[in-house]
Amino acid sequence: MTLALGCIADDYTGASDLANTLTRCGLRTVQTIGIPADDLQLPEVDAVVVSLKSRSIAASKAVEKSRAAEKWMRSRGADHVLFKICSTFDSTDAGNIGPVMDALRIDSGDSIVLVTPAFPETGRTVYQGNLFVGAVPLNESPLKDHPLNPMHDSNLVRVLARQSVTNIGLVDLGVVACGADVVRTHLDGLSENGFGAAIIDAVFASDLETIGAVALGHRVSVGASGMGLGLARALVASGRVKANAATSIKDTPVGGAAACLAGSCSQATLQQIARAEQVMPVLHLDPEQVIAGGAEVQRALGWAKERLGKGPVLIASSSTPDQVTALQKRHGRDAAGHAIEQAMADLAEGLVRAGVQRLVVAGGETSGAVVDRLGIPGFLVGAEIAAGVPVLRAVGAAERQMLLALKSGNFGGPAFFEDALGLMT
Ligand SMILES: Nc1ncnc2c1ncn2[C@@H]1O[C@H](COP(=O)(O)OP(=O)(O)O)[C@@H](O)[C@H]1O
Ligand SMILES: O=C(O)[C@@H](O)C(=O)COP(=O)(O)O
């Protein structure tokens, strides 16, 4: 296998979002969980997205894991490696975007790295270095209340400068609009003046194409699915990847019982859960009881097993921002998050034992905990449920066939859970 593009994603939902974009742009793509084992049977692909659960761990660990993934990709022929971050730049001042970017830049020998989380299809645009989520700046969006990494500054030049050892420049939309050659000249100027990375504005898909064409001339880039789109289109345009080479996974039905787990507390997920209550049984976990011990998981599994024969069920830990803050005050942010993620993993394991073969998971960290527990080594991309969320078919898992959907907390329309199950047959 010779890779045209290697990608390192800092969470599993983000990885499936990127794998979806690359597939839709014509790249044969596989999503792996961590660096694939040598004996994992993978199809011939143009791109591999290695999923890490590295967004909220210590920066030094995130760097170590990302470097190992980069090394693996380079050894498989990847000239360019994309570090896939969240389109809402989810991170804290302690990292992990800056430290990983710095390490990959040094390893690659690049003098300057292009960075953009823009993904216009999902309403993420960057103008003058400021990230907008729909019509509002990042710091006014629901991301200001994220349970693990609340975002309070929409100026990404400032945000990244707090995380990185290098100076962070800006390539503004006026420069991007002048085309790839002007962007290259601007980057040369920044690099000569000691800038090791630059936030680049993007509002339209055409901006991403310009950015992709420039980024492909470098060894490393940092961005969300929009950067993936730009790189994929540039690869196809350059003839390095055959257009329309992507093959969607076979739609052979998997059958079996279906269930949904929600650990995301985003506004979008809370609305989707409320909507799901109209069409399927929904159990709201008591987060306090979840942290207290295993009885709440057992209660939820008993509840689900009584209903799974009749149709899909949804189990949610999700709470409103006020409730999340109150719980975190009592137990600590990381401890509360970790305990709930592990409970979600216990639930997923129990549900699969009870015959679930179609599983929808809402939340990035939550998906990471669930997929790790299920021991799934990788996924092929199927139909698109919503922008950034594909149906995934597990590969390399021994016993039963499984379909999953790993939904970023913020993605999907109000009827997401129904939409997903409708495509996961
Ligand atoms: N009721 C709750 N109170 C506090 N934290 C919660 C609650 N429910 C879930 N969590 C935690 O919030 C975090 C949500 O993050 P994640 O799953 O990545 O969702 P998103 O995709 O919205 O970012 C996880 O660590 C999860 O365990
Ligand atoms: O880029 C995005 O917004 C997503 O692909 C993503 O990374 C999702 O992260 P979570 O919201 O934590 O699921």
Side-chain angles (χ1 to χ4, degrees):
M1 171 171 40
T2 304
L3 294 177
L5 181 66
C7 306
I8 305 165
D10 68 354
D11 84 345
Y12 295 11
T13 44
S16 71
D17 164 17
L18 177 62
N20 179 54
T21 296
L22 299 179
T23 303
R24 312 272 157 242
C25 289
L27 269 57
R28 298 168 300 171
T29 306
V30 68
Q31 173 181 355
T32 65
I33 303 305
I35 299 169
D38 287 341
D39 61 354
L40 179 64
Q41 296 287 324
L42 292 177
E44 191 58 31
V45 288
D46 305 305
V48 170
V49 183
V50 169
S51 328
L52 301 180
K53 196 174 183 295
S54 60
R55 189 175 290 174
S56 304
I57 62 177
S60 57
K61 275 267 159 218
V63 166
E64 191 185 306
K65 283 168 182 272
S66 306
R67 270 193 153 141
E70 187 211 12
K71 203 168 160 207
W72 181 85
M73 285 166 181
R74 301 282 186 210
S75 75
R76 298 299 188 279
D79 280 337
H80 190 90
V81 170
L82 165 63
F83 174 40
K84 160 68 177 71
I85 57 164
C86 191
S87 66
T88 47
F89 221 77
D90 293 18
S91 52
T92 65
D93 286 352
N96 288 342
I97 297 174
V100 173
M101 176 189 78
D102 292 341
L104 296 183
R105 182 171 75 94
I106 289 165
D107 290 353
S108 69
D110 276 353
S111 60
I112 188 159
V113 179
L114 277 174
V115 183
T116 188
F119 188 24
E121 211 184 315
T122 55
R124 278 47 156 176
T125 56
V126 181
Y127 180 63
Q128 297 296 344
N130 290 279
L131 175 57
F132 289 82
V133 177
V136 296
L138 177 67
N139 63 311
E140 293 174 27
S141 79
L143 271 297
K144 70 184 187 325
D145 299 315
H146 191 279
L148 302 177
N149 42 253
M151 300 304 290
H152 297 301
D153 188 355
S154 34
N155 185 314
L156 300 183
V157 176
R158 273 195 313 245
V159 174
L160 191 54
R162 288 195 290 267
Q163 300 179 14
S164 168
V165 295
T166 187
N167 296 322
I168 311 297
L170 172 68
V171 184
D172 72 27
L173 197 62
V175 174
V176 176
C178 292
D181 285 341
V182 176
V183 173
R184 286 187 190 102
T185 307
H186 189 84
L187 281 176
D188 288 345
L190 285 174
S191 173
E192 279 158 22
N193 284 298
F195 291 87
I199 299 290
I200 183 160
D201 284 352
V203 173
F204 301 108
S206 52
D207 302 325
L208 297 170
E209 287 177 9
T210 303
I211 294 168
V214 177
L216 206 54
H218 296 225
R219 301 257 295 153
V220 169
S221 58
V222 176
S225 253
M227 181 66 97
L229 181 146
L231 287 164
R233 294 223 172 131
L235 278 167
V236 171
S238 71
R240 275 189 257 174
V241 172
K242 269 200 214 127
N244 302 315
T247 47
S248 205
I249 55 169
K250 286 198 195 78
D251 287 332
T252 352
V254 156
C260 309
L261 292 171
S264 162
C265 299
S266 76
Q267 213 176 75
T269 304
L270 292 173
Q271 283 168 3
Q272 290 156 355
I273 295 168
R275 174 75 172 257
E277 309 228 27
Q278 296 169 16
V279 293
M280 68 183 89
V282 175
L283 179 72
H284 292 273
L285 296 171
D286 177 342
E288 197 62 63
Q289 289 304 314
V290 170
I291 293 172
E296 184 68 351
V297 167
Q298 290 313 316
R299 178 180 80 89
L301 277 177
W303 174 91
K305 283 178 193 165
E306 281 169 19
R307 290 166 178 81
L308 279 176
K310 297 191 201 96
V313 301
L314 189 159
I315 302 173
S317 69
S318 320
S319 303
T320 61
D322 287 350
Q323 291 166 329
V324 169
T325 307
L327 192 83
Q328 289 179 338
K329 273 205 182 119
R330 289 194 294 275
H331 300 282
R333 174 179 291 180
D334 291 347
H338 181 74
I340 295 174
E341 286 168 34
Q342 287 313 304
M344 285 299 181
D346 293 343
L347 280 168
E349 196 177 3
L351 289 168
V352 169
R353 280 214 191 104
V356 167
Q357 285 180 265
R358 294 172 292 141
L359 185 64
V360 182
V361 189
E365 297 296 330
T366 309
S367 295
V370 163
V371 171
D372 281 353
R373 181 66 65 82
L374 296 180
I376 298 171
F379 295 108
L380 294 177
V381 175
E384 183 175 54
I385 304 161
V389 197
V391 174
L392 297 172
R393 185 178 288 259
V395 289
E399 297 127 37
R400 265 180 293 181
Q401 290 207 9
M402 271 200 87
L403 294 181
L404 282 93
L406 308 178
K407 188 192 83 76
S408 153
N410 301 298
F411 285 175
F416 176 81
F417 290 108
E418 280 171 83
D419 295 346
L421 293 166
L423 288 171
M424 296 164 69
T425 52

